[in-house]
Each structure stands twice: as C-alpha cells, then as structure tokens.
Amino acid sequence: MSTKSRVSFSQSLAKWIAPGIGIKRWLLLLLAGIFVAALGFAFFILNFLTAQNQQYQPVNWLFPVAAIAAGILMMSVSLFGYAHWLLLPYRKNQPAGIIDTAYAYSKRHKGIKVVAIGGGTGLPSILRAMKPYTSNITAIVTVADDGGSSGRLRRDLGVLPPGDLRNNIAALADDESLMTQLFQHRFNRGDLGGHAFGNLFISALASVTGSLESALIETARVLNIQGQVFPATMDEVDLIARVYIGGKEVTIHGESAITGAKGRIEEIRLSPPNVEAFAGSVDAILNADIVVLGPGSLFTSILPNLLVPGISSALRATKALRVYVCNIATQPGETDHFSVADHVLALEQYLGRGMIEVILANNAYPEENAGKNTVYVMPIPQDHEILQRYDVWMDDLVDVERPWRHDPEKLAGVLLQNRPQVRQNSVNGSVQKEADSLVKT
Amino acid sequence: MSTKSRVSFSQSLAKWIAPGIGIKRWLLLLLAGIFVAALGFAFFILNFLTAQNQQYQPVNWLFPVAAIAAGILMMSVSLFGYAHWLLLPYRKNQPAGIIDTAYAYSKRHKGIKVVAIGGGTGLPSILRAMKPYTSNITAIVTVADDGGSSGRLRRDLGVLPPGDLRNNIAALADDESLMTQLFQHRFNRGDLGGHAFGNLFISALASVTGSLESALIETARVLNIQGQVFPATMDEVDLIARVYIGGKEVTIHGESAITGAKGRIEEIRLSPPNVEAFAGSVDAILNADIVVLGPGSLFTSILPNLLVPGISSALRATKALRVYVCNIATQPGETDHFSVADHVLALEQYLGRGMIEVILANNAYPEENAGKNTVYVMPIPQDHEILQRYDVWMDDLVDVERPWRHDPEKLAGVLLQNRPQVRQNSVNGSVQKEADSLVKT
C-alpha cells in the first residue's frame, strides 16, 4: 500500500484519461448534457429579453424547454453510469442495490452508541436487536471460556478462547450471508469434529497477525459486520468459584467446570485478579449512549467481564444509561430459584450500588413451548428494597418459540422506543401481582 | 436478497431523498454548478449574438468566463464527493485509491484469456506471472491429491482434496493481503497440526454450500482473486501407476504413494477412467486465447488433468495457442534423467501428437543457489524429431533465488511479449550447444 499511496497526482490523472477504461464516456456525456441544457437556458434568457423588445422575433419556446429537458436526461444517465463504473470493482457478487447499501450504511452509521456486556449465549439477542438501528455497537465478552472447541484451541494453540467472540461476531453479521453460516459451521467428523469454523478462523488469524486485536478487525471486515466485538481483557485469565455442593464448600477452576458442578455459587473471582482491561472496551463504555449488561449467565458470562477492574471503573465513569437486562429463565447450577432481585443483589455484592440505573425484566411467562426445563425468573417482590434504588422496566420480552430466551425485536422496542411507557409499567402494581402469581414455591 | 430486489422504484427514490443520508449535498452542488456554468454559457451565447447587433450593449466578457469556470469547479467537486459517498460502504478498510482500483480493474478485465493446467506446486508461477496483466485467468487443477492435509480432509470429511485448489487460489490473490496469508497458514500444534487453513476454509464452505463449485466461487470473492480456479473434474478420482522399482513392476494407488515410491513410472491412469470433466474448465479451454500446460509434475499434476476425457477433447477443439511449459529441474521418482524431449514424448504417449503447438523450455542452468539436489532438465538434442513437430521457445526462465523453479516475470515476458525473439532463439544453434555442454552423462 505504501508504494501506491506515493504515486503522484499526475500519474493518478493519467489513469483517469487513459484510453479504454470506460470513464470518459460518462464524463463526455455529462459535458454534452451540460452543453445542451445551457444552450436551452441561453435561448430561454434570450427569449425573455426579446419578449420585452419586439424588434427581435423570439425563437420558439419549445426549443429551450426541450433542450433543457434533454440536457437533464443526459446528465442523469451520465451520473448513473459514472456511479456504476466506480462501483464495479467493489460490488463483485454483492447484489444489493447501490442506493439500498448507501442508505443503510449512512443511516446506521449515525445510530446511537450501544455497548453490550456479557458472554456467548445471551448477548447475541441484544446485538440482533440493535443492529438494524445502529452500526455503533460494541459487544464486550469474556475470554474466560475453557470448554468445547474454544477450550481445545486454548490448550492446543495457546490462543485466547474464541467461542464467545465468535457467537457475538456472528450476531452482528448478516444472518443470511454465506460467510456467517460458514463462520458458525461445526465440523462433525475426524480430527476436526466439534470445532466451529469461526473459532479456527479467529485462531488462525490471531496466529498470522500476531494479535487477537488485528484478528478481530479482519474478521469484522470479512463478515462485513455492523459494530465490533471486543474482549474484556487480552490477558489470559481463569474463572475460579467457591461452590457449595451437598453441604460442602469446594473451589472449582474454569468456567465449564463451574457450570458443570451444579452447586450453589458462593463467590466467583478471576485468576489472576488484576488483569488489564482491553483499551477498546474501556473507550467504548466511556463513549456510549447506553450500556447494556446481559442477558447471559450471571456468574460465568456477565460477572467475569465486570471483575476486570478497568471495565467496572469505566462503567462507573461513563455518562451512558446503564441497563441490566435480567435473564428470563433461571440457569441450573448458577441461578436456581433466583428472582430478578436476587440477580441484582448478586451484582451489587461484586460491584457495589450505583453501577446500574435501570433493571429491564420480563413479565410474560407463557407455558406454550416452554418445556419442562424452563423455570422463569421470579419478579421483584412488590416492597423489595431494590425498587427504591433502580428504575425497573418490565415488559413482555420472551421469544414465543423459545420462551427462555429474549426476542430481539421486543428488546429493541423497549430499549429504543417505549421507555416512558415501560417506566409506567414498572410502578403499575397490577403487572406485579399478575407476575407474583406465577412464582413457584 | 429476494425481498430486497422486490422493493419498488418509489421506495428506492424515497431513499435517495431521505434526510441526512449525505447525498443531496453533492447533487445540489452539482445542480448549482450546472446552473452557474449554464448561466455563464448563456451569456456567452447572448454576447455572441448581440455582438452582431450593436443595438444591445454586450455584457462584460469576464462574467461568462468566470461563471463557466466556477460552474465546472463546483461540478468537479460534486462528482468527487458523490463518488466518495457512493463508495464509502464498499471501501471499508480498503485503502487503495479509488481511481487506482477502478483503473486496474478495467485494464485487467480486458486482458487476454489464459488457461493454465497443472497441479499444486508448479502452476502458481504461471498464475503469478499472468495476474498483473489480465483477470481472465482460469487455473485447472487435479483433484487426485491424497497426501498431507488434503488427504486427511478427503478421508475425514469425504470432500474433494482442496490442497491444489488452495495453492492456486492463493497465487491468484493479492500476496500481500492478510487473507491470503491466512489462507496459506498451517496450524502447527494439536489436533489441527499440519492442516492448512485454506483447506479447512474450502472444505467447510463446500459443506455449508453443498458443493465445491459454490465454495470456490465464494472463496474467490472473499480473497478478491483475479480469475478463477477450477478442478478438472468434480468426480472423486484416484491416480494409479505401474511403476518399476528394483526391476519389479508394481501397481501403486494414490498420488502421494506414486511420488513416494521413487521408481520409474511406466504407465499412469485414472480410476475410474471415464470421469466427467467440470463444465467450467471445458468452457474456459474452448474460449481461451492461450492454454498453458504446466509447469508442474508431469505424471502427478499435469497428466491427471489431461486424462479426464472432456479436458483433452476441449484441448483438441480450442483455437487457443497451446503451450507446454517444461519443468526446469527433473523430479526424483517421476522424471529422473528426462530431457525436454522426454517430457514431450511422454505427453504424446498419452495424448497423441498435435495436442500442443509450442514447447517453452529453459536454457539457463545457473550453479549458484542450485544446491546438490537440482538436476536441470536436459535440452532437446539438436536433431531430435520433436523439433519438426513443435515450435520450441527457449529462454532464461529460472528464478535466481531458487533456480529449480520458474521466475514468474520471466515467464510472463516470454508468454506475452517476446514471442518473435524467442522463436528465433529456438533455431539458434549456439544456444543449443551451450545448453548441450551442461548435460550430465
């Protein structure tokens, strides 16, 4: 690139006027259009002047009007041809209309600045919710993952586990695109069995570029994603938990083992504790309009991000609206029997009060499609202390097909459009009572 | 895409005039420029007309000239702004200049139609040679490979072996680009050790799209390659050879085993023999200006393509110039002690006479950098029968760093520019004699 940028202006000009490159026809047509329109315009003025002085016979009014119309037509055709020619090398196999692409790009580029913090499974619903409205989305995800394909790559190649990064990058990409499908493709046979292609992609790019940061930038480019996905930290970090299992307290290392233990999590921490926050993540939080925590596993997806000291400092410093999106269903081995209030109290235990301003929780508990394993998160009891400390927004957020998950469109509606209405809902006791009746005892 | 293409013209128009998308400023500036230039032009015409009739006082000549100049400047600025705006969504992270990109695209798009037939290791030099001059390059490669990463994928995933496809796709891509480096990256540890990332990429894409053909199209798009890489056949095919080893004749299955046997190859064939040629490959040969066979392993890279009946038929039918590029060095276990003539006679054995018109061979045999293992291919003896049947072009084709390989620039020079001079060289006895003295006995 460096040699290309050094070519002189005259060389560049020479290319514009080089024979046969297809641009001159459009510029000539533009000039011809201007000439014809100007001719019509000149005679228009002439007619106007002569109309005041009967000595000259005015030319036919039809000529100026026709010439101006013809000139405008020629200029329009030329501008379309010019645009088409310019875009040819860039549009290969990109069938979407030029103006659709330009319009969507321009609109999303000016959208609100959203930061979503969480992990692999819950966060994509926020990202899918926001990507039609803005390109200014930053997903911050944990890299403490040590299970599955990510865990194998972490052990085999010594790279940061890419799984959570991958899922969120895919959520910000065009779901229909072949590259996104490829990215989420899992090999099912042989040595490669179980590996997600996107994990191999990120890992190989990290090896080639020498850094995960460059790998993420290039991945974003190839998948043409809206926004960016950053790790909370680039340091290698493990998750350690004190867990009660059958009355005994044990210390468990590693995200996948903690979730697998199915005990009651007493405390969770990072090892080492003082890892450095990724600068891009800190910047994104400080410059955001809205920061959304979750949805996602409280102890293994959300808290591992917030336990990075730089991330929680940035959260305290930002002027963004800070919203905690509570899960719809409880997670076995992590948040059994947790109400919305229990989730928030757990956050307060680690982060203190004042870290978040708004609690966004679901108030629809459909039985259809829920299956036996879906245990809905219980609503906040009506006189609970946290109702004083936080703005609570409650709304129907469930995906009707899989009601243990958030519906991206409903989430977007609440976060972007229906704020006042939702605020009212939160102090409306009838909603609370209806929800209370669903609590399992 | 289907829904997008159905949007009506009025919706599309609405987007052009939507507020804040950044295009109207350029169109308004263009209109203003047209107006100012047309006004100047109109007064120019008016002055011209009134100059012939002294009754009117002509306006100052300065005004029309200044107005036309200002109008052209406004239009130029507007056209640049319009181009920049249109290209924004497509140019993300593509720092090359707009006009450089458009110029190179336009020039290469009109280049001569080249087909190169061979395999993994030799063919890239032809592709690297041609890609600066034309985008109309088709590489046709064998898919009988069964060694290394390709062989493992063939066994594990049941896909066509991607290795030779990968090397040639990379040769047609921008060597400096990160994606090309990624494509050629080999994992060196764990389960993935030895796999080339590009092989995984092609295999995963073939799984996702359901066909190798779509996978190759998408790969070409992602790597933004000049030209295309096709297999000789999409059918699964094995290479079988009768080989003399230590006085005994044995039958060996599989490309990697044949090369590994280090015997003398008596006969080579495909199993099954009547595989169907890939239609894209046949079309490319029929429409080519020049078809180049090789360089590459005679028995394991070039012949496996030509043994596909549809490929050899197309070669006989095409009006393209057909050039055989002979290897520079002999290959142990394949072409030990072979002269240029022996290579051609081996081709004739399988394809009959008249399949090729031109033999391109090297006549430089440097000792520097050659190492002990480089045994140069001996030139054609001066009175050899094949000199009557073929046009023989001889020239210095060696890569000075690795003299057993072709230098892409020298190859391009001979194939594109120096034909007459080279034809003369071929009948120049002194070159022959010089070469003869290097023959090892």
Side-chain angles (χ1 to χ4, degrees):
Chain A
M1 287 299 106
S2 65
T3 50
K4 280 190 183 167
S5 62
R6 263 185 269 132
V7 296
S8 70
F9 179 74
S10 65
Q11 278 175 290
S12 188
L13 196 71
K15 283 177 184 168
W16 278 101
I17 58 167
I21 74 160
I23 179 64
K24 282 183 303 304
R25 65 197 69 172
W26 303 119
L27 294 180
L28 281 177
L29 184 63
L30 183 67
L31 285 177
I34 291 168
F35 179 81
V36 170
L39 204 65
F41 193 58
F43 278 95
F44 190 84
I45 294 169
L46 208 61
N47 278 1
F48 183 76
L49 290 174
T50 53
Q52 300 174 313
N53 182 323
Q54 292 308 317
Q55 187 180 349
Y56 283 96
Q57 181 66 26
V59 293
N60 193 338
W61 281 101
L62 189 68
F63 171 73
V65 170
I68 289 171
I72 287 173
L73 184 68
M74 287 161 82
M75 286 185 276
S76 301
V77 170
S78 141
L79 286 183
F80 272 99
Y82 173 66
H84 186 73
W85 176 84
L86 271 173
L87 290 170
L88 260 185
Y90 297 97
R91 286 187 76 213
K92 271 204 265 186
N93 303 306
Q94 296 195 21
I98 292 172
I99 183 62
D100 290 328
T101 307
Y103 177 77
Y105 178 84
S106 169
K107 189 178 142 229
R108 282 197 301 257
H109 231 65
K110 292 177 184 157
I112 66 163
K113 296 190 194 108
V114 180
V115 168
I117 302 179
T121 51
L123 210 60
S125 55
I126 281 284
L127 305 182
R128 289 211 168 81
M130 291 301 190
K131 74 178 171 183
Y133 303 101
T134 177
S135 294
N136 303 316
I137 308 175
T138 305
I140 299 176
V141 302
T142 168
V143 286
D145 189 8
D146 64 350
S149 166
S150 282
R152 278 161 67 196
L153 291 170
R154 187 178 180 168
R155 288 183 296 276
D156 282 358
L157 305 178
V159 296
L160 283 174
D164 283 2
L165 296 165
R166 186 195 81 243
N167 275 319
N168 288 290
I169 290 170
L172 287 174
D174 174 7
D175 289 321
E176 308 281 296
S177 110
L178 190 54
M179 281 305 290
T180 311
Q181 292 169 45
L182 175 67
F183 204 65
Q184 293 293 62
H185 174 71
R186 245 176 231 281
F187 291 101
N188 52 14
R189 284 189 284 176
D191 292 343
L192 301 166
H195 273 306
F197 178 80
N199 289 352
L200 305 184
F201 186 89
I202 297 171
S203 304
L205 257 178
S207 298
V208 170
T209 61
S211 83
L212 182 62
E213 192 175 353
S214 310
L216 293 175
I217 291 169
E218 187 67 7
T219 305
R221 195 184 72 77
V222 171
L223 293 179
N224 197 19
I225 74 171
Q226 309 298 331
Q228 51 200 2
V229 178
F230 287 154
T233 174
M234 285 282 186
D235 295 347
E236 208 170 311
V237 68
D238 280 304
L239 203 59
I240 297 177
R242 280 194 299 113
V243 180
Y244 264 109
I245 308 174
K248 281 209 305 191
E249 189 187 285
V250 287
T251 301
I252 301 180
H253 293 250
E255 186 190 307
S256 55
I258 294 165
T259 316
K262 307 273 181 237
R264 198 181 78 226
I265 297 170
E266 286 294 300
E267 193 211 355
I268 205 150
R269 62 188 169 87
L270 295 182
S271 163
N274 286 314
V275 291
E276 201 180 341
F278 178 63
S281 300
V282 171
D283 283 351
I285 295 170
L286 293 176
N287 293 312
D289 295 316
I290 181 167
V291 176
V292 181
L293 304 184
S297 309
L298 183 63
F299 292 103
T300 56
S301 289
I302 299 174
L303 274 170
N305 290 299
L306 304 178
L307 292 176
V308 174
I311 298 292
S312 49
S313 306
L315 258 176
R316 276 191 204 91
T318 185
K319 284 179 180 150
L321 179 73
R322 287 153 290 162
V323 181
Y324 169 62
V325 180
C326 191
N327 279 2
I328 287 172
T330 62
Q331 287 185 284
E334 271 209 50
T335 53
D336 303 274
H337 314 299
F338 268 43
S339 70
V340 174
D342 294 328
H343 283 84
V344 176
L345 291 176
L347 277 176
E348 285 187 348
Q349 186 191 331
Y350 290 92
L351 306 169
R353 295 180 184 178
M355 184 73 95
I356 54 175
E357 296 160 88
V358 175
I359 299 163
L360 175 57
N362 169 56
N363 64 9
Y365 314 92
E367 284 180 25
E368 202 180 354
N369 296 328
K372 279 184 190 167
N373 296 320
T374 300
V375 179
Y376 288 110
V377 169
M378 297 168 275
I380 306 172
Q382 230 183 309
D383 51 358
H384 198 283
E385 51 167 333
I386 71 160
L387 292 173
Q388 269 79 59
R389 296 203 284 276
Y390 302 97
D391 217 351
V392 181
W393 301 352
M394 298 201 70
D395 211 329
D396 170 3
L397 300 174
V398 299
D399 177 343
V400 288
E401 301 287 320
R402 295 174 297 180
W404 56 95
R405 295 200 188 184
H406 288 84
D407 179 313
E409 284 186 32
K410 292 177 179 174
L411 263 181
V414 173
L415 287 171
L416 290 168
Q417 290 150 9
N418 302 326
R419 281 188 220 171
Q421 186 202 320
V422 175
R423 278 174 202 257
Q424 270 191 323
N425 271 359
S426 68
V427 288
N428 183 333
S430 70
V431 175
Q432 278 300 323
K433 273 176 206 146
E434 191 196 317
D436 284 346
S437 69
L438 280 153
V439 174
K440 307 194 181 191
T441 44
Chain B
M1 288 297 108
S2 65
T3 51
K4 280 192 185 169
S5 63
R6 264 185 268 132
V7 296
S8 70
F9 179 74
S10 65
Q11 278 175 289
S12 188
L13 195 71
K15 282 176 184 167
W16 278 101
I17 59 168
I21 73 160
I23 179 64
K24 282 184 303 303
R25 67 196 69 170
W26 302 120
L27 294 180
L28 281 176
L29 183 61
L30 183 67
L31 284 177
I34 289 168
F35 180 81
V36 169
L39 202 67
F41 194 60
F43 276 96
F44 190 83
I45 293 167
L46 216 57
N47 277 2
F48 183 77
L49 290 173
T50 53
Q52 300 175 310
N53 183 322
Q54 292 309 319
Q55 187 177 352
Y56 284 94
Q57 182 65 27
V59 292
N60 191 339
W61 282 100
L62 189 68
F63 171 73
V65 171
I68 290 172
I72 286 174
L73 184 69
M74 287 160 83
M75 286 185 278
S76 301
V77 170
S78 141
L79 286 183
F80 272 100
Y82 173 65
H84 186 73
W85 177 84
L86 272 174
L87 291 170
L88 259 185
Y90 298 97
R91 285 188 75 213
K92 270 203 264 186
N93 302 306
Q94 296 194 22
I98 292 173
I99 183 60
D100 290 328
T101 306
Y103 177 77
Y105 178 84
S106 169
K107 190 176 141 228
R108 281 195 302 255
H109 231 63
K110 292 178 183 155
I112 66 164
K113 297 190 193 109
V114 180
V115 169
I117 302 179
T121 50
L123 211 60
S125 55
I126 280 285
L127 306 181
R128 290 211 168 81
M130 290 301 189
K131 74 177 173 185
Y133 303 100
T134 177
S135 294
N136 303 315
I137 308 176
T138 305
I140 299 175
V141 302
T142 171
V143 287
D145 189 8
D146 65 350
S149 166
S150 282
R152 278 161 67 195
L153 292 170
R154 187 177 180 168
R155 288 183 296 275
D156 281 358
L157 306 178
V159 295
L160 284 174
D164 282 2
L165 296 165
R166 186 195 81 242
N167 274 318
N168 289 289
I169 290 170
L172 287 174
D174 174 6
D175 290 320
E176 308 282 294
S177 111
L178 192 53
M179 281 305 291
T180 311
Q181 292 169 45
L182 174 67
F183 204 67
Q184 294 292 63
H185 175 72
R186 245 176 230 282
F187 291 101
N188 53 13
R189 284 189 284 177
D191 292 343
L192 300 167
H195 273 307
F197 178 81
N199 289 352
L200 305 182
F201 186 88
I202 296 171
S203 304
L205 256 178
S207 298
V208 170
T209 61
S211 83
L212 182 62
E213 193 174 351
S214 311
L216 293 176
I217 291 169
E218 187 66 7
T219 305
R221 196 185 70 76
V222 171
L223 293 179
N224 197 19
I225 74 170
Q226 310 298 330
Q228 50 201 1
V229 178
F230 287 154
T233 175
M234 284 283 186
D235 295 347
E236 208 171 310
V237 67
D238 280 306
L239 204 58
I240 298 179
R242 281 195 296 116
V243 180
Y244 264 109
I245 308 174
K248 281 208 307 190
E249 190 186 285
V250 289
T251 302
I252 301 180
H253 292 250
E255 186 191 306
S256 55
I258 295 166
T259 317
K262 307 274 181 236
R264 198 180 78 226
I265 297 171
E266 287 294 300
E267 194 211 353
I268 206 151
R269 63 190 168 85
L270 296 183
S271 163
N274 286 313
V275 291
E276 202 181 340
F278 178 64
S281 299
V282 171
D283 283 350
I285 294 172
L286 293 177
N287 294 312
D289 295 317
I290 182 168
V291 176
V292 181
L293 305 184
S297 308
L298 183 63
F299 292 103
T300 55
S301 288
I302 299 176
L303 275 169
N305 290 298
L306 303 179
L307 291 174
V308 174
I311 298 292
S312 49
S313 306
L315 258 177
R316 273 190 206 92
T318 185
K319 285 180 180 147
L321 180 73
R322 287 153 291 163
V323 181
Y324 169 61
V325 180
C326 191
N327 279 2
I328 287 171
T330 62
Q331 287 185 284
E334 270 208 51
T335 53
D336 302 273
H337 315 299
F338 269 42
S339 70
V340 174
D342 294 328
H343 282 84
V344 177
L345 291 176
L347 278 176
E348 284 187 350
Q349 186 191 331
Y350 290 91
L351 306 169
R353 295 180 184 177
M355 185 72 95
I356 53 174
E357 297 161 86
V358 174
I359 299 163
L360 175 56
N362 169 55
N363 65 8
Y365 313 92
E367 284 181 25
E368 201 180 354
N369 296 329
K372 279 184 193 168
N373 297 320
T374 299
V375 178
Y376 288 110
V377 169
M378 296 168 274
I380 306 173
Q382 228 180 311
D383 50 359
H384 198 282
E385 50 167 334
I386 71 161
L387 292 174
Q388 266 81 58
R389 296 202 286 277
Y390 302 97
D391 217 352
V392 181
W393 301 352
M394 298 201 69
D395 211 328
D396 171 2
L397 300 174
V398 299
D399 178 341
V400 289
E401 301 288 319
R402 294 174 298 179
W404 56 93
R405 296 199 188 185
H406 287 84
D407 179 313
E409 284 187 31
K410 291 177 180 174
L411 264 181
V414 173
L415 288 170
L416 291 167
Q417 290 151 10
N418 302 326
R419 281 188 220 170
Q421 185 203 321
V422 175
R423 278 174 201 257
Q424 270 192 322
N425 272 359
S426 67
V427 288
N428 183 333
S430 71
V431 175
Q432 279 300 324
K433 273 177 208 147
E434 190 196 316
D436 284 345
S437 69
L438 280 154
V439 174
K440 307 195 181 191
T441 45

